[in-house]
Amino acid sequence: MTIVIAAGGTGGHLYPAVALAREFLRRNPSTTVLFVGTSRGLESKVLAHEGFELLLIDAKPVMGMGLFDMVKGLCAMPVSLWQCRRILQERHVQLVIGVGGYTSPMMVMAAAFTGVARVILEPNANPGMANKAVGPFVQRIFLAFESAAPSFDRTKVRVVGTPIRQEFLERAKQDPALSYEPGREHLLIFGGSQGARAINSAAIEGLPELMKQRSQMTVTHQTGESDHARVTEAYRRAGVSVTTTPFLYDMPSAINAADLVVARAGAMTVAELTTCGKPAILIPLPTAIYDHQMKNARVMEAAGAAVVLPQGDLTGARLANTIAAVLNDPERVRAMGAATMTLRRTDAAESIVRECYALIGDHHDVNQPLGAAGS
């Protein structure tokens, strides 16, 4: 079987797709999994590291762009649709999986036009426009959060959680969330796959004094490529030892080593935190379309698993005080970790793959009752 996964742009779209690809290959090593994306997104870097083939199309973003870039994105659609149809025909594809973002809709629509089985995955609590737009044309809709269900045809919806890379699941089995022990504090800071300048600036402003007060605390800070030199130099000038890195390929090890995580609130981050049972201070990206990161963060906050710190309120002092307030209360750290684990779903990838096999095994004409199989 040949599968195309259309996902890219950010780690939040890409890493659930990688987890799905790995599960398909685990179930049947003879499966061919192809990714479709663009040369501008994170996919060209990550997929080479993961060992998957990436086919490029000329899709461009539309939502959240200025008028000129929006027009460019709309004009690129016919070209990318033609490219997608050619990929489906030349590679004899049997299943297309869209994971949102601007690379996904044209591949899903090409599958609809050519009769290829097609599903989408929506990892956010508030679904994006790309998945909403193609929802009527797919046969299954896999959701991470029940709150996203009203945006779609309920007969197609399966609420399964977010697919997690096997490395996280294996590490969670081997190293269950440890009880917090004052005197050995490790803090992990990351701002998504590209880093986050606002978080970086608050950290270099507030952490040096906090680290001098808490000599037992160690810090790993993923900065993003573009800000790595600035952040590293700032810590050096402040006289504190922080492990900085542009990008964390081994996120399972990084999260499991942390007692507290400071991060954005993308769907992948939330899923990884819940799998590992880690308390967090979440700083949602304020420019995320439809404010989906804030909605993800509020789900964590409502469960008692995270503290939400809006970027509009973010300063170095506020960040340092929030970190200290959590770490100063060991029972709170333990309770947040336990609350985080109540939200985790570790079988999402298996559930999706099982449904996809059932779908392909059935006659999947678009006009048949789509809610029947697997219900």
Side-chain angles (χ1 to χ4, degrees):
M1 179 169 66
T2 300
I3 300 167
V4 161
I5 303 180
T10 67
H13 289 127
L14 196 56
Y15 280 115
V18 169
L20 267 183
R22 293 288 182 208
E23 180 60 24
F24 274 107
L25 291 171
R26 187 189 70 82
R27 176 159 171 162
N28 183 355
S30 67
T31 300
T32 298
V33 181
L34 309 170
F35 281 79
V36 168
T38 73
S39 59
R40 297 182 299 279
L42 184 68
E43 55 266 31
S44 58
K45 176 180 178 180
V46 168
L47 293 176
H49 183 267
E50 296 285 343
F52 288 104
E53 182 180 359
L54 172 64
L55 304 176
L56 300 178
I57 60 174
D58 292 328
K60 292 179 172 59
V62 175
M63 302 305 298
M65 308 301 291
L67 179 60
F68 179 70
D69 287 331
M70 185 181 297
V71 171
K72 286 175 61 178
L74 292 171
C75 291
M77 286 182 176
V79 175
S80 58
L81 180 63
W82 176 81
Q83 292 170 328
C84 290
R85 292 189 66 165
R86 186 177 63 180
I87 289 170
L88 296 178
Q89 292 167 353
E90 291 181 353
R91 304 302 286 263
H92 306 290
V93 175
Q94 292 157 283
L95 174 67
V96 165
I97 303 172
V99 196
Y102 63 90
T103 61
S104 180
M106 290 301 99
M107 179 53 75
V108 173
M109 293 307 298
F113 291 149
T114 55
V116 174
R118 55 221 171 264
V119 304
I120 56 175
L121 168 65
E122 176 51 68
N124 288 296
N126 189 42
M129 183 57 71
N131 276 341
K132 286 182 180 179
V134 300
F137 303 96
V138 303
Q139 295 148 296
R140 293 290 183 273
I141 299 167
F142 300 107
L143 305 180
F145 295 95
E146 178 66 39
S147 60
S151 296
F152 301 103
D153 179 348
R154 286 296 314 218
T155 65
K156 302 179 185 180
V157 165
R158 308 288 187 269
V159 181
V160 297
T162 300
I164 296 292
R165 285 170 283 168
Q166 195 65 32
E167 296 92 331
F168 275 99
L169 303 180
E170 291 170 357
R171 189 62 58 87
K173 292 176 183 176
Q174 296 169 3
D175 302 314
L178 301 175
S179 298
Y180 172 57
E181 300 174 12
R184 51 160 299 276
E185 301 168 348
H186 185 64
L187 179 70
L188 172 64
I189 303 172
F190 64 97
S193 54
Q194 307 295 328
R197 189 174 181 87
I199 295 177
N200 293 346
S201 295
I204 60 180
E205 178 187 338
L207 279 187
E209 185 59 32
L210 179 64
M211 293 182 70
K212 290 171 184 175
Q213 296 170 7
R214 310 179 74 89
S215 58
Q216 76 278 20
M217 186 171 73
T218 57
V219 179
T220 296
H221 185 164
Q222 183 244 308
T223 63
E225 293 279 359
S226 62
D227 217 15
H228 183 245
R230 179 180 76 99
V231 173
T232 302
E233 177 62 14
Y235 285 133
R236 187 192 69 78
R237 289 180 178 274
V240 293
S241 178
V242 173
T243 300
T244 62
T245 181
F247 189 82
L248 283 167
Y249 283 108
D250 190 2
M251 190 61 83
S253 294
I255 290 183
N256 273 282
D259 296 294
L260 179 65
V261 177
V262 176
R264 290 296 195 196
M268 195 74 249
T269 296
V270 168
E272 290 168 351
L273 290 171
T274 60
T275 299
C276 298
K278 296 299 178 177
I281 297 168
L282 298 178
I283 306 168
L285 177 67
T287 57
I289 299 176
Y290 315 115
D291 204 24
H292 69 263
Q293 286 207 9
M294 181 59 77
K295 292 179 174 64
N296 295 344
R298 293 302 183 194
V299 170
M300 290 279 282
E301 181 183 56
V307 177
V308 177
L309 180 54
Q311 186 168 303
D313 300 332
L314 182 63
T315 64
R318 183 76 182 273
L319 177 61
N321 289 340
T322 306
I323 293 169
V326 174
L327 293 179
N328 284 340
D329 187 347
E331 188 52 42
R332 183 183 184 187
V333 176
R334 297 185 189 103
M336 290 174 67
T340 303
M341 294 186 75
T342 66
L343 298 174
R344 72 177 179 174
R345 293 281 300 266
T346 59
D347 62 345
E350 291 181 15
S351 297
I352 293 172
V353 170
R354 186 168 56 249
E355 282 269 355
C356 286
Y357 271 101
L359 176 64
I360 293 173
D362 295 334
H363 176 61
H364 48 263
D365 187 279
V366 70
N367 295 313
Q368 76 167 339
L370 298 175
S375 59

